[in-house]
Amino acid sequence: MANIEFWYEFASTYSYPAAMRIGRLAGEAGVDVRWRPFLLGPIFKALGWNDSPFNIYVAKGRYMWRDLERICAAEGLPLKLPPVKFPQNGLKAARLALVGENKGWTPAFTRAVFAANYAEEKDISDDDTLTAILEALGIDPQTALEAANGPANKEALKQQTEEAMARGLFGAPSFIVGDELFWGNDRLETALQWAKRN
Amino acid sequence: MANIEFWYEFASTYSYPAAMRIGRLAGEAGVDVRWRPFLLGPIFKALGWNDSPFNIYVAKGRYMWRDLERICAAEGLPLKLPPVKFPQNGLKAARLALVGENKGWTPAFTRAVFAANYAEEKDISDDDTLTAILEALGIDPQTALEAANGPANKEALKQQTEEAMARGLFGAPSFIVGDELFWGNDRLETALQWAKRN
């Protein structure tokens, strides 16, 4: 079966529409998706940034928020930002998303975290937010959080992020088909076509 | 008539497919295009960059060249880079493009300069390249170059670039419909839809 890797970061704004769209579009294209949470922080740090480029470069940030509004409106996705400073810390959520991979709940968990952040004004670094999401999905929060915070899983997320950097990722969302990299929510359709063709 | 402003910079790689596509797509959409050459150099300088971000951020640059290859292949556009260092200096070409606006030859001249740079391996900062382009379009090179290098036109290009910055532009190509900004070749279709709708 044709397949695609979906690399995303919970703090990344354009990862939100990508996470909400990829299930449907990949299903229609007959492409299997591997969901790969990672952290942009270490990658941005290597580029010399200690904050989101959307905060560092003001005009770019202003544009991004308006562009995201238009994209969400066109997709029928709610967009309601939380009152905490952008970007939110997605570390705990990313560790949980990684735990879910073997259990099969990563896609549903990921969508719920993005909805919490971008539509429900929740603080996704808050254990209560994550616990409520896990419970709503029928996942035992204590077991999941223990696995997420265990040393093996922390190391696995570090390695996932190192793999991202080694494979040329510099932003999120990114899609990889074989060795072919596609960057940005707006490249999802092209990446899926590539996956089908190759 | 619905209309759109097309802001481009000759050194900008993604401005190449945008310049080659916009005439046909705007025609099909019934949208009038105002071609607005400007300079990214002063804008990048204000962001703290003394070079193209595609040179400063190596992974991003590597990705861009591959992405541009894919886009040109999909559009049937040739892509053959000149042996000079990227980015080329587009100052003279931008001044000429501005002169052409009142005469009506800016679109054809712009497409020819992008073709020279990205398909014909020419140095677009070279007077011979620009003279050959003007001659091929039936424009008297001496008159055009004199107007381009006159103080009024130099000032006009400066003001065009200042207007770009004041209106929130931070990259090229950009499209403006009223107050609505769209950034990137991949936003051309959306911008044209916006122009038709509003």
Side-chain angles (χ1 to χ4, degrees):
Chain A
M1 189 177 181
N3 59 73
I4 193 170
E5 295 171 51
F6 169 36
W7 290 79
Y8 59 96
E9 143 80 76
F10 284 109
S12 147
T13 50
Y14 288 108
S15 292
Y16 167 47
M20 297 317 208
R21 296 183 331 117
I22 195 167
R24 174 175 52 83
L25 292 175
E28 287 167 6
V31 173
D32 197 42
V33 182
R34 183 171 174 202
W35 294 60
R36 306 209 65 181
F38 75 113
L39 299 178
L40 272 178
I43 292 176
F44 284 174
K45 205 163 277 178
L47 297 175
W49 300 333
N50 280 310
D51 194 355
S52 162
F54 296 129
N55 289 337
I56 297 172
Y57 304 113
V58 174
K60 200 166 190 166
R62 193 186 307 126
Y63 171 77
M64 179 277 292
W65 290 114
R66 177 62 188 139
D67 192 45
L68 189 66
E69 259 177 15
R70 289 190 304 236
I71 290 168
C72 289
E75 289 291 327
L77 285 173
L79 181 63
K80 211 170 168 185
L81 293 168
V84 295
K85 187 192 171 288
F86 169 83
Q88 290 207 39
N89 187 333
L91 174 64
K92 287 179 192 172
R95 284 182 181 154
L96 279 165
L98 201 55
V99 162
E101 195 175 1
N102 293 330
K103 315 262 196 291
W105 48 257
T106 299
F109 174 78
T110 297
R111 281 187 292 261
V113 173
F114 275 116
N117 185 348
Y118 291 107
E120 295 155 14
E121 302 179 275
K122 298 275 171 60
D123 179 349
I124 62 162
S125 69
D126 186 341
D127 278 346
D128 291 348
T129 303
L130 298 170
T131 298
I133 288 170
L134 292 165
E135 278 173 348
L137 294 171
I139 302 154
D140 178 54
Q142 205 182 323
T143 314
L145 283 162
E146 262 169 34
N149 296 322
N153 191 62
K154 286 182 177 176
E155 181 57 30
L157 184 61
K158 259 188 212 160
Q159 295 208 351
Q160 182 109 316
T161 300
E162 274 165 29
E163 182 185 338
M165 214 179 313
R167 292 174 76 186
L169 268 76
F170 54 90
S174 291
F175 311 98
I176 303 184
V177 179
D179 287 330
E180 205 72 29
L181 176 64
F182 299 85
W183 171 52
N185 170 61
D186 48 28
R187 292 294 189 279
L188 173 54
E189 284 82 351
T190 312
L192 288 170
Q193 281 169 14
W194 198 273
K196 276 173 75 174
R197 212 173 56 189
N198 289 273
Chain B
M1 190 177 179
N3 59 73
I4 193 171
E5 294 171 52
F6 169 37
W7 290 79
Y8 59 96
E9 142 81 77
F10 285 109
S12 147
T13 51
Y14 288 109
S15 291
Y16 166 47
M20 297 318 208
R21 295 182 333 116
I22 195 169
R24 175 175 52 83
L25 292 175
E28 288 167 7
V31 173
D32 197 42
V33 182
R34 183 171 175 202
W35 294 60
R36 307 209 65 181
F38 75 114
L39 299 179
L40 272 177
I43 293 176
F44 283 175
K45 204 163 278 178
L47 297 175
W49 301 332
N50 280 310
D51 195 355
S52 163
F54 295 129
N55 290 337
I56 297 172
Y57 304 113
V58 175
K60 200 166 193 168
R62 195 185 306 125
Y63 170 77
M64 178 278 291
W65 289 114
R66 176 63 188 139
D67 192 44
L68 188 66
E69 259 178 14
R70 289 189 304 236
I71 289 168
C72 289
E75 290 290 328
L77 285 173
L79 181 62
K80 211 171 167 183
L81 294 168
V84 296
K85 188 191 170 289
F86 169 82
Q88 290 208 38
N89 187 333
L91 174 63
K92 285 179 192 172
R95 284 182 181 153
L96 279 166
L98 201 56
V99 163
E101 195 174 4
N102 293 330
K103 315 261 196 293
W105 48 258
T106 299
F109 174 77
T110 297
R111 281 187 292 263
V113 173
F114 276 116
N117 186 348
Y118 290 107
E120 295 156 13
E121 303 179 275
K122 298 274 171 60
D123 179 349
I124 61 161
S125 69
D126 186 341
D127 279 346
D128 290 348
T129 303
L130 298 169
T131 298
I133 289 171
L134 291 166
E135 279 174 347
L137 294 171
I139 301 154
D140 178 54
Q142 204 183 323
T143 313
L145 283 162
E146 261 169 35
N149 295 322
N153 190 63
K154 286 183 178 177
E155 182 57 32
L157 183 61
K158 258 188 212 161
Q159 295 208 351
Q160 181 110 314
T161 298
E162 273 164 29
E163 181 185 339
M165 216 179 312
R167 293 175 75 186
L169 269 77
F170 55 90
S174 291
F175 311 98
I176 303 184
V177 179
D179 287 331
E180 205 71 29
L181 176 64
F182 299 85
W183 172 52
N185 169 61
D186 47 31
R187 292 294 188 279
L188 173 54
E189 283 83 351
T190 312
L192 287 170
Q193 280 169 15
W194 198 274
K196 276 173 76 173
R197 212 173 56 190
N198 289 272

